[in-house]
Amino acid sequence: MLNESIALMQRATAVIPGGVNSPVRAFKAVGGNPIFFERGNGAHIYDVDGNEYIDYVGSWGPLILGHAHPKVVKAIQQIVQNGTSFGAPTRLEVEIAELITNLMPSIETIRMVNSGTEATMSAIRLARGYTGKKYLVKFDNCYHGHSDPLLVKAGSGARTLGVAGSAGVVQDLAQYTLIAPYNDLQATAHLFAEYGHDIAAVIVEPIAANNNLIMPTAAFLPGLRKLCDEHNSLLIFDEVITGFRVALGGAQELYGIAADITCLGKIVGGGMPVGAFGGRRDILAMLAPIGPVYQAGTLSGNPVAMTAGMVTLQELIAQPNCYTQLQQYSANLMQQLTQQAKQHGITITTNYISGLFGFNFVDDPDNKFFKRFFHLMLRQGVYLAPSAYEAGFVSLAHNEITLSKTIAAAQQCFALMQKTDAYALA
Ligand SMILES: *Cc1c(COP(=O)(O)O)cnc(C)c1O
C-alpha cells in the first residue's frame, strides 16, 4: 500500500516543481509514484505508509554507516545545543581539515563548502584562476553536479565543442567545456593536441559512478595525469562519490595517482549538506582571502555538518576492515544476483568495487527489464535506485541477513519476469 505516498505526491506537485527537490527522486525513469520516507535505521528505511525496505540508495552515497548511526546522531544532538552556525571559524573546521589532509596526501589544504556541486564549481574556477587558461575537459557519463560548465554533454560529433545539456546554460559559456568519452585517452589526447595551450583542467570521476558503474581502464588515469603534466593543465578528481567509499584515501589511493585538486562530498558530510575541495598548497593559495579567486559560503564549515562528517570519518578509521567488508558484500550481492537471473534465463552484467555496485540487463531496450525489476523489488521490500543509470550503494549496516533477503527477493522477481511474456528473453 502506498496510499500516503500517493497523497503526498499529489500535494507536492501543486507546490514543488515535479513534486521533488531533486529530479531523479520523481521516478520518471521507472514510472509510478515516488515513495515518501520518514525514517531510516541501519540498512532499512520506512515509508509514510509504514512499509519497510532494505535500502541500496543510502541517500546516494553519504550514508556509508547506514541510516541514523547512533554515534552520528548522538554527536549531532550534542553539538547542536551550542548553536548551528557562527559564520566565523571554529575548532571543528581545523580538526576535519587536519583529518582529511592526513587521509588524502594529495590534499595539502582544503576548503569546506555545502555540496558536491559547489566543490566542483569552485574547483574549476580555481583551476582557471591558477592556470589563466579557459578550457575544461570532462567526460561523457560523468556527473559533476549542476553548475553551468559541468552540465555540458557531447554534441553529435565524435570530438566536439560542448553543447549545453540543459536549457538555461548559455552556449557562449558551454563552448569552453570539451568532451571526450570516458576511458578514451586517444580522444582526450586529440583535445589536447588542438586546445592544449588553453586547457585549464581535466575533471574526471576516477571511478565513474554516475552512469551505472564504470571502472577506469589501467591506462586511463595515468594517461590523464601525463597529458595534464605535459600541457601544464590541472587534473581534478571528482571524488564526491568515491572519496572514503572505495578507500580512506579515495580512488586516488587505489590507483596511486595524485590529483592536483580533489572534490569531495557525500560521505564527508555524514548525511549533512557538505562538500569540499582541496589539493596542492600552491593552487589552493589562489583562493580568497590570500589569493584573487573568490569563493565563500555563509554556512560553510558549520559545526553541525562538520560533526556529522567528522564522526563518520572517525568511525571508518576505527574499522580498518570496513572496505574489505563492503567489497565482500557487493561481490556476493552481484554474484548471486547474476546466478539467480541466469537460472531464470535472464542475463545481467555487473560491476562492483567496495560499497558501490552496478548491474545491467543485457538486451534491454528502453530499460524495460530494469523498470519491471525495480518495481517488483520494491514490492518485495528492496529499494534500488529508481534509474538504470545510477550506481547502487551498500553500507556497513548491511549484513548477511539483508543480503539473503535481497537475493530471495530477486529470485522471486526474476521468476515473475520470466513468466511474463513481455519480459521473457528469447
Ligand atoms: C553527487 C555528485 C556531485 C554533486 O554533489 P551534490 O552534493 O549533489 O551537489 C558531484 N560529483 C559527483 C561525482 C557526484 O556523485
Side-chain angles (χ1 to χ4, degrees):
M1 294 287 271
L2 296 176
N3 296 344
E4 198 54 32
S5 277
I6 291 167
L8 278 171
M9 189 57 178
Q10 270 167 9
R11 283 169 58 193
T13 47
V15 286
I16 302 172
V20 292
N21 282 313
S22 196
V24 76
R25 297 178 193 174
F27 272 30
K28 275 190 97 169
V30 289
N33 196 89
I35 317 275
F36 283 61
F37 291 101
E38 65 184 7
R39 193 164 66 83
N41 180 21
H44 292 92
I45 44 177
Y46 302 84
D47 71 15
V48 287
D49 289 284
N51 300 304
E52 180 188 271
Y53 306 85
I54 301 172
D55 180 26
Y56 288 99
V57 177
S59 191
W60 303 101
L63 302 180
I64 194 165
L65 304 179
H67 292 267
H69 188 278
K71 285 189 185 164
V72 178
V73 171
K74 193 163 164 230
I76 292 175
Q77 282 170 341
Q78 272 173 357
I79 201 83
V80 81
Q81 299 178 52
N82 298 336
T84 53
S85 183
F86 302 101
T90 58
R91 179 189 302 273
L92 272 163
E93 295 167 85
V94 184
E95 289 175 354
I96 200 164
E98 287 171 347
L99 187 66
I100 296 169
T101 51
N102 261 324
L103 294 175
M104 297 185 124
S106 82
I107 302 184
E108 292 176 325
T109 62
I110 186 163
R111 182 158 285 175
M112 306 305 297
V113 292
N114 304 289
S115 68
T117 294
E118 261 187 77
T120 54
M121 175 187 81
S122 309
I124 285 161
R125 184 183 306 136
L126 176 60
R128 285 176 166 155
Y130 179 84
T131 59
K133 302 177 181 184
K134 63 174 179 285
Y135 285 100
L136 177 73
V137 174
K138 83 172 276 289
F139 298 93
D140 269 347
N141 301 327
C142 280
Y143 178 67
H144 302 292
H146 62 91
S147 74
D148 284 3
L150 292 169
L151 276 182
V152 176
K153 287 184 196 157
S156 49
R159 173 172 60 82
T160 179
L161 288 171
V163 173
S166 165
V169 176
V170 176
Q171 185 54 41
D172 293 0
L173 296 179
Q175 66 177 313
Y176 299 118
T177 305
L178 308 169
I179 308 287
Y182 194 77
N183 274 336
D184 191 338
L185 264 184
Q186 211 177 358
T188 316
H190 277 129
L191 291 176
F192 269 95
E194 197 160 340
Y195 302 96
H197 63 287
D198 209 9
I199 293 176
V202 171
I203 185 167
V204 66
E205 292 184 70
I207 295 167
N210 279 289
N211 184 46
N212 209 286
L213 183 63
I214 305 170
M215 307 303 292
T217 57
F220 187 51
L221 301 174
L224 295 182
R225 181 67 274 177
K226 190 155 172 278
L227 280 170
C228 286
D229 288 343
E230 286 167 357
H231 295 84
N232 291 319
S233 306
L234 300 185
L235 180 60
I236 303 176
F237 274 1
D238 181 349
E239 296 228 41
V240 169
I241 281 189
T242 52
F244 315 111
R245 175 154 290 274
V246 297
L248 276 174
Q252 54 194 278
E253 177 186 314
L254 290 187
Y255 298 117
I257 306 279
D260 297 306
I261 304 176
T262 297
C263 300
L264 297 170
K266 300 194 168 120
I267 291 175
V268 80
M272 296 294 287
V274 181
F277 63 108
R280 266 169 43 197
R281 185 180 303 277
D282 61 320
I283 300 171
L284 273 284
M286 290 296 284
L287 282 182
I290 43 177
V293 177
Y294 195 72
Q295 188 280 328
T298 300
L299 294 167
S300 292
N302 74 79
V304 185
M306 293 304 98
T307 296
M310 189 79 177
V311 174
T312 300
L313 296 186
Q314 280 165 346
E315 194 58 22
L316 293 173
I317 293 166
Q319 298 186 37
N321 287 330
C322 68
Y323 295 103
T324 319
Q325 194 182 319
L326 290 170
Q327 171 83 8
Q328 272 168 9
Y329 190 100
S330 297
N332 281 343
L333 183 64
M334 288 300 103
Q335 280 156 13
Q336 294 188 45
L337 201 68
T338 306
Q339 270 171 20
Q340 288 303 336
K342 201 173 165 192
Q343 278 175 19
H344 294 93
I346 295 166
T347 312
I348 61 169
T349 58
T350 64
N351 256 333
Y352 55 85
I353 181 165
S354 180
L356 276 172
F357 65 81
F359 62 91
N360 264 306
F361 289 91
V362 171
D363 294 329
D364 188 21
D366 309 323
N367 298 314
K368 258 185 175 172
F369 286 108
F370 177 80
K371 287 179 204 172
R372 177 107 169 108
F373 184 67
F374 170 84
H375 281 291
L376 288 171
M377 287 294 269
L378 205 56
R379 255 175 266 168
Q380 297 275 339
V382 179
Y383 190 72
L384 298 166
S387 160
Y389 303 111
E390 303 286 352
F393 295 90
V394 166
S395 80
L396 291 165
H398 288 77
N399 57 28
E400 289 302 317
I401 300 166
T402 51
L403 179 74
S404 46
K405 277 189 187 165
T406 306
I407 295 303
Q411 193 175 4
Q412 303 255 336
C413 297
F414 288 136
L416 282 167
M417 286 167 74
Q418 189 183 28
K419 276 186 208 142
T420 315
D421 281 351
Y423 296 101
L425 279 176

